[in-house]
Amino acid sequence: VYRLPDGSRVRLGADLIRIPETLFKPFLCSVYSPGWKPDLGVHESIYTAVNGCGYDIRNYLYNNIVLSGGSSLISGLRERLEKEISLLSSHAYKIRVIAPPERKYLAWIGGSILTSLSTFNSMWISKEEYDETGPSVCGPRITF
């Protein structure tokens, strides 16, 4: 039984295992987002992304997988990812998944650092610009 911030209690049983398992077996989940490939688990997505890079940097990438975001707080996620990616790569690489203590906030920390850089100023979109133009204002400014 878990106590929520408002004081109410929630009983979780098998859901504690089933819900995180959808990260590795997305077919267990019946909700799909546009553009999402439900046939790839998070470990397979990482494996595919790293193997899409040059052979000379794969070892570096496999050795520096960093978890971030709220879902990265799932108990045992780091170890499970290391195990699953190692199995996919046939143990050809040393797999290291880093789970920093502040991972829940890494996206916010990174965004804060990025916006403090002067090179980022040209990419800013003000609320007034957005209200005047709408979502289409994002296209021309944001290039990767």
Side-chain angles (χ1 to χ4, degrees):
V1 176
Y2 288 86
R3 175 173 256 167
L4 300 177
D6 68 357
S8 60
R9 295 172 183 247
V10 177
R11 180 179 303 276
L12 297 173
D15 293 335
L16 285 173
I17 296 169
R18 284 195 311 240
I19 293 171
E21 189 63 17
T22 61
L23 291 172
F24 296 92
K25 299 176 184 172
F27 60 84
L28 296 174
C29 184
S30 61
V31 179
Y32 301 110
S33 299
W36 180 54
K37 294 185 175 184
D39 55 328
L40 293 179
V42 67
H43 61 300
E44 295 160 321
S45 295
I46 293 168
Y47 175 79
T48 301
V50 171
N51 283 340
C53 296
Y55 183 77
D56 54 329
I57 66 165
R58 289 180 192 171
N59 193 48
Y60 176 78
L61 295 173
Y62 276 126
N63 199 32
N64 290 285
I65 299 167
V66 180
L67 295 179
S68 70
S71 294
S72 71
L73 299 173
I74 294 170
S75 179
L77 181 64
R78 184 189 65 76
E79 295 83 359
R80 173 82 183 271
L81 269 174
E82 283 181 352
K83 175 187 162 206
E84 297 290 345
I85 296 169
S86 290
L87 291 172
L88 287 173
S89 68
S90 303
H91 302 285
Y93 299 97
K94 180 186 182 311
I95 309 299
R96 183 176 67 145
V97 177
I98 303 162
E102 68 280 0
R103 63 189 176 271
K104 181 177 179 181
Y105 304 107
L106 281 181
W108 291 104
I109 293 168
S112 172
I113 292 168
L114 183 64
T115 59
S116 69
L117 301 174
S118 61
T119 54
F120 187 72
N121 291 347
S122 64
M123 295 177 73
W124 288 0
I125 298 168
S126 69
K127 180 179 181 339
E128 292 77 24
E129 286 178 285
Y130 186 86
D131 288 344
E132 182 181 316
T133 311
S136 64
V137 72
C138 299
R141 291 251 187 103
I142 301 175
T143 58
F144 297 99

